[in-house]
Amino acid sequence: MPPKQKITKDAIADAAFSIVERKGLPFLTARNVSEMMGISTKPIYFYFSCMADLRKETMRKAAEILLAYMSRPYTDHIFLNMGIGFTFFARDYKILYRHMFMENNEFKDLVEDFFINVRQQIKKDKKFINMTQKERDDMLNTMWIFTHGLASFICVGLIENHSDSFIIKTLEKVGSAVIDTAVRKKRKYKPIVKTRRTHA
């Protein structure tokens, strides 16, 4: 039978997320969640068979927040907005960013789903409509290397200036260089279609 108290699965997941956001995954225990909510541990294990499931649900929530950050219209360019949102997330949710992208591969599936979503979003940008999927992927990988580096440096405090304007201007400069290079490369290697000449 379900627990008598009006405790929902979402409420437990929200409490778990709050703990991880403030303290980190090592502090996500049934006891800490129960103490925070003022309940016993029974409802937790009713909705989540084990703490590993609750950990995954917590990081799934983190992934949703990240995608929301990356979907905001900071500029008129979808590709640039994704990089800005990613870096803002690293600045605003340092602990979650470390768990997802810096410490281990525990949440590899979440990260892979995240990149699938990013690839789909890039297809919507008019600049890249004529590119092949491989060309878009190559461009994304190049931008990802720099963006991840910038976000990680900000996350661990190696870059003191982490204002909105600094992040946006930095990514605009790099993004423009990456995009221009990709577009020029596309034009340079555009296949030449030969037509057969007819002789009179």
Side-chain angles (χ1 to χ4, degrees):
M1 293 180 66
K4 294 180 180 180
Q5 294 170 279
K6 293 182 179 180
I7 303 298
T8 66
K9 183 176 182 179
D10 286 341
I12 293 171
D14 288 342
F17 179 85
S18 179
I19 291 172
V20 174
E21 180 189 357
R22 291 184 292 108
K23 297 183 178 181
L25 277 172
F27 290 87
L28 181 55
T29 64
R31 181 177 179 179
N32 285 343
V33 174
S34 65
E35 288 181 354
M36 182 177 185
M37 299 182 71
I39 62 175
S40 70
T41 58
K42 288 183 180 179
I44 298 172
Y45 286 112
F46 173 80
Y47 289 113
F48 298 93
S49 59
C50 61
M51 290 306 295
D53 289 343
L54 184 53
R55 285 164 62 92
K56 289 181 180 179
E57 177 64 19
T58 300
M59 298 313 292
R60 185 189 65 77
K61 284 180 173 290
E64 288 180 352
I65 293 174
L66 172 58
L67 289 175
Y69 263 63
M70 296 177 68
S71 299
R72 294 174 186 171
Y74 306 102
T75 71
D76 294 331
H77 307 290
I78 296 174
F79 188 51
L80 177 59
N81 291 340
M82 289 188 291
I84 293 171
F86 184 86
T87 309
F88 281 1
F89 177 84
R91 177 194 63 187
D92 298 344
Y93 293 92
K94 292 181 174 63
I95 292 176
L96 294 175
Y97 179 85
R98 290 182 185 183
H99 288 315
M100 295 175 72
F101 297 102
M102 296 180 68
E103 294 183 346
N104 53 57
N105 291 324
E106 182 178 356
F107 304 103
K108 183 179 179 181
D109 291 343
L110 280 175
V111 175
E112 288 178 349
D113 289 343
F114 157 76
F115 276 111
I116 289 174
N117 184 282
V118 170
R119 291 176 73 195
Q120 293 301 319
Q121 291 298 320
I122 288 179
K123 287 182 179 180
K124 298 177 183 179
D125 197 313
K126 295 179 180 179
K127 291 187 184 70
F128 316 126
I129 290 177
N130 295 325
M131 288 185 177
T132 65
Q133 186 61 58
K134 184 180 183 306
E135 289 169 337
R136 285 193 292 265
D137 286 346
D138 288 344
M139 181 181 64
L140 175 61
N141 288 338
T142 301
M143 194 62 193
W144 162 247
I145 291 170
F146 179 84
T147 304
H148 178 51
L150 176 64
S152 298
F153 275 23
I154 290 175
C155 178
V156 300
L158 291 178
I159 294 180
E160 294 183 2
N161 184 358
H162 49 68
S163 65
D164 287 7
S165 59
F166 170 78
I167 292 172
I168 292 173
K169 288 179 180 178
T170 301
L171 289 176
E172 277 181 337
K173 290 179 182 178
V174 176
S176 294
V178 172
I179 292 171
D180 289 347
T181 299
V183 172
R184 285 200 303 271
K185 185 177 180 181
K186 175 69 176 178
R187 291 171 180 169
K188 182 178 180 180
Y189 293 102
K190 185 177 181 180
I192 299 174
V193 179
K194 295 183 178 180
T195 57
R196 297 180 64 183
R197 295 183 179 180
T198 56
H199 299 282

